[in-house]
Amino acid sequence: MGDVGTTKIFENDKMIVWEFALKPGESTEVLTHEHDYMFYVLNGTTLDVFDAEGQELYDLELKTGETFAFTCEASDLVSADGKGHRLPATHSARNTSSVAYREVLVETK
């Protein structure tokens, strides 16, 4: 299993702050979110999201400057921001565009 971010920037007893980056065509390892989290898109693109078995779930368009928030509910992640997203807590993603993707992700413990 992979980490939920590329580089851990900060951690204390209440939160973990990550930078997350994916180059064009790059994929994450399968990862599992165990904490509620939110992220801010620094450089947007479209990511294909896959379940733990590698089946494509959907394309997620992420625009520069957007924020997203998710809560962990059993084995799923559910939008906490009214955007209606629901996906497995264990998943992977691939950057399908020609543009590098970057975000800052904050997990709450």
Side-chain angles (χ1 to χ4, degrees):
M1 291 287 178
D3 289 330
V4 300
T6 308
T7 305
K8 189 182 290 186
I9 298 169
F10 174 82
E11 182 173 8
N12 66 17
D13 60 332
K14 298 186 190 302
M15 73 175 79
I16 307 170
V17 180
W18 297 89
E19 177 186 25
F20 177 74
L22 272 181
K23 296 175 186 170
E26 187 176 21
S27 297
T28 68
E29 295 181 33
V30 174
L31 55 93
T32 299
H33 289 273
E34 297 176 354
H35 305 288
D36 295 348
Y37 70 98
M38 64 81 55
F39 63 92
Y40 175 78
V41 179
L42 297 168
N43 194 47
T45 192
T46 299
L47 301 180
D48 282 348
V49 180
F50 301 87
D51 66 16
E53 289 76 39
Q55 181 165 334
E56 186 175 354
L57 300 172
Y58 57 86
D59 293 341
L60 182 58
E61 184 178 357
L62 301 160
K63 296 178 182 174
T64 300
E66 283 188 304
T67 59
F68 292 81
F70 290 92
T71 59
C72 292
E73 294 183 9
S75 61
D76 286 337
L77 298 170
V78 179
S79 282
D81 54 16
K83 293 181 179 162
H85 296 290
R86 184 178 198 100
L87 66 148
T90 300
H91 61 270
S92 65
R94 180 177 61 225
N95 182 348
T96 59
S97 79
S98 60
V99 177
Y101 175 71
R102 285 185 58 230
E103 71 181 40
V104 172
L105 185 147
V106 179
E107 294 181 285
T108 56
K109 293 183 174 182

